[in-house]
Amino acid sequence: CFAEDWETAQKSMDLNFYISFSGIVSFNSAKELQEVAKLVPEDKFLIETDSPWLAPVPKRGRPNQPAYVKYVAEKMADLRECSYQHIGEVSTRNFNRLFKIP
């Protein structure tokens, strides 16, 4: 999962990497990462849970699980000022492209 600054994100994307956001993006203390989440181009981000670690708010402090990816998507939608459904569509499309799934 990505937990760095915008400069690192840019360098990573220049190498054709995707930027994958986990539950950390939902933490109140993750302001810099939240700014990165707003700036990453739509075709370059993924979302994940990083289970069993880093459960997103409101499940923080509990063991993480794949079902909690919805909270990461909700936070990304809030940050990017778009719908939860849009984040799901974009992240699914990016996943499929990355892993060459038709």
Side-chain angles (χ1 to χ4, degrees):
C1 67
F2 188 83
E4 298 296 329
D5 59 15
W6 177 239
E7 182 181 350
T8 304
Q10 287 179 305
K11 288 177 181 177
S12 299
M13 290 183 292
D14 287 346
L15 295 170
N16 207 29
F17 291 144
Y18 286 75
I19 306 299
S20 187
F21 296 95
S22 69
I24 295 172
V25 78
S26 71
F27 297 176
N28 291 332
S29 61
K31 299 302 182 198
E32 186 172 34
L33 183 61
Q34 291 169 357
E35 289 303 313
V36 173
K38 293 176 189 178
L39 296 172
V40 169
E42 198 169 84
D43 66 336
K44 283 297 193 182
F45 78 81
L46 300 167
I47 58 175
E48 63 173 287
T49 59
D50 201 25
S51 297
W53 318 111
L54 305 172
V57 173
K59 303 295 185 177
R60 191 168 182 190
R62 300 179 190 157
N64 205 351
Q65 58 181 280
Y68 295 169
V69 75
K70 76 175 199 164
Y71 299 110
V72 178
E74 288 171 351
K75 184 62 177 186
M76 290 291 290
D78 180 56
L79 291 169
R80 295 175 71 91
E81 299 180 349
C82 64
S83 71
Y84 167 81
Q85 290 80 11
H86 182 72
I87 294 296
E89 291 167 5
V90 168
S91 60
T92 299
R93 184 171 53 243
N94 291 343
F95 175 89
N96 289 341
R97 184 175 52 251
L98 176 63
F99 292 102
K100 298 178 178 26
I101 299 171

